[in-house]
Amino acid sequence: MVVGADGRDMRAVHIVDSGAPEDVLEIRDVPRPEPGPGEVRLAVQACALQHADVFARTGHPEIEDEFPKRPGTEMAGVVDAVGDGVDDWTPGDRVNVYHHVSCGECEFCERGEQTMCPHDRKFGSDFPGGLAEYVAVPADNLEAVPAGVDMETAAAWPSSFTTAWRMLVSGGGLQPSESALILGASGGVGHAALQLADRIGAEVYATTSADWKAEQAAEWAEDVIDYTQEPFDERVVELTDGRGVDLVADHVGQETWQRSIDSLATGGRMVICGATSGADPDIDIRSVYQRHRRILGTPMGNRRDFRAAGRLIARGEVAPVIDRVLPLDRVAEGHRAIENREVFGKVVVTPGA
Ligand SMILES: NC(=O)c1ccc[n+]([C@@H]2O[C@H](COP(=O)([O-])OP(=O)(O)OC[C@H]3O[C@@H](n4cnc5c(N)ncnc54)[C@H](OP(=O)(O)O)[C@@H]3O)[C@@H](O)[C@H]2O)c1
Ligand SMILES: [Zn+2]
């Protein structure tokens, strides 16, 4: 990527320090990127926020504490310029972006497991992200947005639904004859997992933290448990006549691990992709091995997972819930809403608006 070769500037969100969204999210003018060989420049029309954006601002053990950062992982836009050697895309094409870039050569890349690659990198953390008017990305990472899918929707699913696909389908292997419990059902990953579990035809239970969220989640679940009112594991065991569920999807971590394990049937599996509440759970390991239970890491999906999720979205069988759409200069509101857990689904920012 050659930055600003044509001398034009663009607006881009910068996280300039750790702190409150209103204090540390700045929109700065920076040179517009030029696409290098094999790259395209996108005019970004929509970019979704996720919890990692909050972690990037507030600090997280797995995220580097170097500022400023240029966030924005889930994005969709229009091809604006193409670099040398790019034949498949032309200006005006509507696209979204598979957000991982890997080495293409290691044993994992050869198996198509891009996110297992030791050199796996991501837009919005390792590269400048899509919370900007323009972004340069490798042409190989683009996917055409079908005519019936709007750009906010195209930006709202790439990471959340791909991860959820990995958790439930390619990692967790959920079957129509099985039952599943989806935690944090209002979250980006949570509401994606909820819809996929329902689409698979499984018997679906969900947890969430407020009545208004439970009402929305109920569209895809047989029962929604407000875990702020009752221990969710006890309720799940009761609802399943003492058996427990075949699969629990847990992205919450420390606060929920033991109850998630205790919600499982004998031989059940817990798929995990996050540690929002902390990464150091206090668990009784006997509750895992004595009941033949398994814990599977499913932290993100590969390109096949991404495409599979995209096909369901293109057919309208599942759809990200867009809680709100904000212009670039109101990005702090989006951060605040996610942090305060006032969101069901996704917050989408429109840099081009
Ligand atoms: N977004 C992605 O694509 C992605 C990909 C890979 C991994 N992850 C990981 O998955 C986790 C969730 O990410 P996300 O983007 O889906 O987050 P999100 O949209 O902010 O959703 C998180 C949800 O978790 C629930 N929750 C329960 N306990 C919580 C706590 N102590 N703090 C905050 N939320 C809590 C809340 O739902 P209720 O009120 O309904 O309980 C909240 O809406 C993160 O740890 C993230 O790093 C995310
Ligand atoms: Zn590799």
Side-chain angles (χ1 to χ4, degrees):
M1 174 177 83
V2 185
V3 175
D6 67 358
R8 286 186 51 184
D9 278 355
M10 65 167 187
R11 298 160 74 229
V13 172
H14 289 64
I15 305 176
V16 299
D17 202 349
S18 187
E22 299 74 15
D23 297 334
V24 302
L25 291 173
E26 287 183 8
I27 299 186
R28 292 181 174 174
D29 288 336
V30 292
R32 197 172 71 158
E34 287 298 310
E39 291 183 338
V40 306
R41 180 174 63 215
L42 294 188
V44 182
Q45 294 193 328
C47 182
L49 302 181
Q50 49 181 231
H51 213 89
D53 291 296
V54 174
F55 288 145
R57 177 174 53 74
T58 57
H60 188 266
E62 288 168 36
I63 298 180
E64 277 185 38
D65 243 355
E66 268 178 33
F67 297 100
K69 298 174 183 176
R70 288 270 307 276
T73 301
E74 295 177 290
M75 49 192 161
V78 172
V79 173
D80 178 65
V82 300
D84 288 346
V86 176
D87 302 320
D88 297 342
W89 302 101
T90 48
D93 287 344
R94 297 166 79 242
V95 295
N96 63 0
V97 179
Y98 178 62
H99 46 291
H100 291 272
V101 177
S102 57
C103 81
E105 291 171 0
C106 71
E107 61 170 305
F108 304 107
C109 286
E110 280 184 3
R111 275 169 26 204
E113 291 291 3
Q114 292 86 6
T115 63
M116 293 186 188
C117 174
H119 306 290
D120 175 45
R121 289 171 297 165
K122 243 179 20 178
F123 299 101
S125 46
D126 306 297
F127 307 111
L131 281 170
E133 288 174 306
Y134 297 90
V135 66
V137 300
D140 286 348
N141 284 62
L142 301 183
E143 210 70 47
V145 174
V149 175
D150 63 68
M151 295 307 258
E152 282 93 6
T153 298
W157 68 264
S159 180
S160 53
F161 274 75
T162 301
T163 304
W165 184 275
R166 184 64 158 211
M167 294 180 92
L168 298 189
V169 183
S170 55
L174 183 65
Q175 301 298 312
S177 57
E178 292 185 314
S179 51
L181 170 67
I182 311 298
L183 266 57
S186 69
V189 172
H191 92 299
L194 183 60
Q195 290 187 49
L196 291 175
D198 181 48
R199 174 66 189 77
I200 287 166
E203 184 180 302
V204 185
Y205 302 96
T207 70
T208 192
S209 59
D211 284 350
W212 68 271
K213 293 180 174 183
E215 274 172 33
Q216 281 182 261
E219 185 177 344
W220 302 286
E222 317 225 343
D223 276 283
V224 184
I225 303 158
D226 182 342
Y227 60 89
T228 66
Q229 302 300 317
E230 60 183 331
F232 70 82
D233 53 329
E234 289 175 19
R235 183 77 182 125
V236 166
V237 169
E238 193 179 299
L239 287 167
T240 54
D241 297 328
R243 178 182 182 273
V245 291
D246 297 293
L247 181 143
V248 174
D250 188 332
H251 52 83
V252 179
Q254 188 166 313
E255 278 177 13
T256 49
W257 257 50
Q258 186 65 63
R259 291 195 189 283
S260 288
I261 293 164
D262 292 342
S263 301
L264 287 169
T266 297
R269 55 223 187 266
M270 173 163 95
V271 289
I272 57 168
C273 79
T276 319
S277 64
D280 193 13
D282 182 14
I283 63 160
D284 179 348
I285 64 169
R286 288 169 300 189
S287 66
V288 179
Y289 72 78
Q290 285 184 345
R291 299 282 301 272
H292 299 259
R293 291 163 169 157
R294 288 174 290 155
I295 300 173
L296 303 172
T298 50
M300 46 214 152
N302 63 26
R303 190 69 181 261
R304 287 190 299 271
D305 298 324
F306 172 82
R307 286 192 169 132
R311 278 194 293 274
L312 277 195
I313 286 160
R315 296 205 297 262
E317 295 187 32
V318 294
V321 174
I322 297 176
D323 184 273
R324 66 193 80 188
V325 179
L326 300 169
L328 198 61
D329 54 12
R330 286 171 58 192
V331 65
E333 272 178 59
H335 265 244
R336 180 64 76 190
I338 292 176
E339 200 168 347
N340 291 347
R341 294 159 72 170
E342 294 162 355
V343 173
F344 191 104
K346 300 292 288 182
V347 174
V348 174
V349 175
T350 51

